[in-house]
């Protein structure tokens, strides 16, 4: 089967984009950030208010790692203007379903940073000055990706699922029912976004299987969460991984493999030589990732045993 250029691919896939957008609109439930935030708990920060009280760490109802995870999740969501620009460059095609999907996705994603910021500021969950400084830093860096639409679809399918799981696990880890409810609501959005991109890749595998397999393999091997511009991202990511909120095991078992199984990626026939090589390389990469996840779990278990021994 011949490979398609980007314009031809998006044209061929547009009927499916329209079908899946209409399906999305029937499944998406309207919700309102103000209904999830306990505003009655709020107190002023600014010096010119009579009830103002500067923030101190003991105000937070979130344990340290939970607070870190909430900060990372919010700062990741904050970069939405850059994400909109990137997906517009990837998928903008004509004035139909692709454009309508881009705008709908952006509008839904915008609610996530609204509700997270309101929750954290009202409940004094984080240092508001540092949070704003970090937001400025993240948005000044922006976010960049090339405009290859198949690579983009593959990346966003994995990323939306990863974000759904990270948000959901953060809510559960917080031990705060308000935070948990917020994260469950955001996760439901992320799941529907993942389903759109997952099923668009299903369609792409039928239209241009070799190029699509190459795109999926490349995105698995090169995957990075979009929060990498965040200050101290790697240190924070390590803390989040140690807490089991999002680590290599979660990424391997709950993000990569569910999508690969859904696409039956290793059963696809008729690939050209380049796509076959990419799939073989993907299989080797996954073996290595499994081994890394196992080593990390064993190391974490030994660390916990040492901590129990010291405190026991």
């Amino acid at each position: 089967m011949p490979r398609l250029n980007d314009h031809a691919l998006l044209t061929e896939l547009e009927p499916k984009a329209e079908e899946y957008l209409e399906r999305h609109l029937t499944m998406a439930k309207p919700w309102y950030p103000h209904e999830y935030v306990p505003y009655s708990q709020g107190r002023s920060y600014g010096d010119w208010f009579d009830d103002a009280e500067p923030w101190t760490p003991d105000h937070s109802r979130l344990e340290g790692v939970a607070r870190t995870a909430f900060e990372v999740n919010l700062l990741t969501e904050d970069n939405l203007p850059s994400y909109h620009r990137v997906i517009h460059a990837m998928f903008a095609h004509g004035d139909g379903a692709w454009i309508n999907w881009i705008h709908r996705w952006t509008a839904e994603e915008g609610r996530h940073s609204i509700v997270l910021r309101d929750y954290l500021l009202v409940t004094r969950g984080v240092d508001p000055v540092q949070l704003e400084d970090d937001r400025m830093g993240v948005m000044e860096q922006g976010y960049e990706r090339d405009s290859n639409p198949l690579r983009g679809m593959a990346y966003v399918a994995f990323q939306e699922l990863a974000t759904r799981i990270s948000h959901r696990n953060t809510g559960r880890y917080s031990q705060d029912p308000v935070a948990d409810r917020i994260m469950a609501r955001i996760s439901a959005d992320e799941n529907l976004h993942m389903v759109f991109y997952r099923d668009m890749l299903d369609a792409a595998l039928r239209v241009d299987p070799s190029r699509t397999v190459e795109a999926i393999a490349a995105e698995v091997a090169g995957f990075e969460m979009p929060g990498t511009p965040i200050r101290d991202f790697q240190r924070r990511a390590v803390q989040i991984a140690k807490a089991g909120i999002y680590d290599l095991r979660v990424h391997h078992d709950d993000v990569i493999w569910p999508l690969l199984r859904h696409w039956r990626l290793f059963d696809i026939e008729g690939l050209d030589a380049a796509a076959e090589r990419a799939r073989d390389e993907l299989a080797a990469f996954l073996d290595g990732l499994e081994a890394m996840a196992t080593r990390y779990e064993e190391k974490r278990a030994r660390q916990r045993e040492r901590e129990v021994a010291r405190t026991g």
Side-chain angles (χ1 to χ4, degrees), residues 5 28 41-42 44 107 125 132 143 149 169 171 173 182 187 244 251 275 282 303:
N5 63 38
Q41 298 178 18
S44 301
E132 178 59 12
Y143 180 77
N169 287 347
Y173 187 86
I182 288 171
S187 296
H251 186 64
L282 173 61
Q303 288 174 337

Side-chain angles (χ1 to χ4, degrees), residues 40 169 186 294:
S40 62
N169 287 347
I186 294 174
T294 299

Side-chain angles (χ1 to χ4, degrees), residues 136-297:
M136 290 292 294
V138 167
M139 295 192 70
E140 286 174 354
Q141 288 189 64
Y143 180 77
E144 299 293 340
R145 280 189 62 89
D146 66 46
S147 58
N148 181 312
L150 271 177
R151 289 284 299 266
M153 276 184 257
Y155 174 76
V156 181
F158 289 112
Q159 183 269 324
E160 293 282 10
L161 182 52
T163 305
R164 183 196 90 185
I165 292 169
S166 176
H167 283 339
R168 194 68 192 92
N169 287 347
T170 297
R172 290 171 175 147
Y173 187 86
S174 72
Q175 299 183 349
D176 177 1
V178 175
D180 192 33
R181 181 169 178 259
I182 288 171
M183 286 310 205
R185 178 57 264 179
I186 294 174
S187 296
D189 279 2
E190 306 289 17
N191 190 62
L192 290 182
H193 298 163
M194 178 275 294
V195 168
F196 177 89
Y197 289 112
R198 180 198 69 189
D199 292 353
M200 287 307 307
L201 278 167
D202 262 332
L205 283 166
R206 293 190 289 274
V207 169
D208 194 341
S210 291
R211 192 171 169 219
T212 305
V213 165
E214 281 190 332
I216 291 170
E219 290 305 323
V220 171
F223 183 84
E224 285 187 337
M225 291 292 273
T228 52
I230 294 171
R231 177 183 60 86
D232 291 338
F233 177 78
Q234 291 303 325
R235 177 183 61 80
R236 299 189 199 194
V238 168
Q239 294 174 340
I240 290 166
K242 285 182 177 178
I245 294 171
Y246 196 91
D247 59 15
L248 280 177
R249 176 58 62 197
V250 171
H251 186 64
H252 178 274
D253 290 2
D254 300 333
V255 176
I256 293 176
W257 269 110
L259 287 173
L260 295 183
R261 282 193 292 266
H262 176 86
W263 294 318
R264 301 180 184 274
L265 194 90
F266 290 100
D267 298 326
I268 296 170
E269 298 179 351
L271 299 178
D272 63 25
E276 288 284 10
R277 283 195 301 273
R279 188 163 59 176
D280 290 343
E281 291 168 1
L282 173 61
F285 176 84
L286 291 171
D287 288 343
L289 191 63
E290 163 67 29
M292 287 174 61
T294 299
R295 286 196 299 271
Y296 181 81
E297 287 176 316

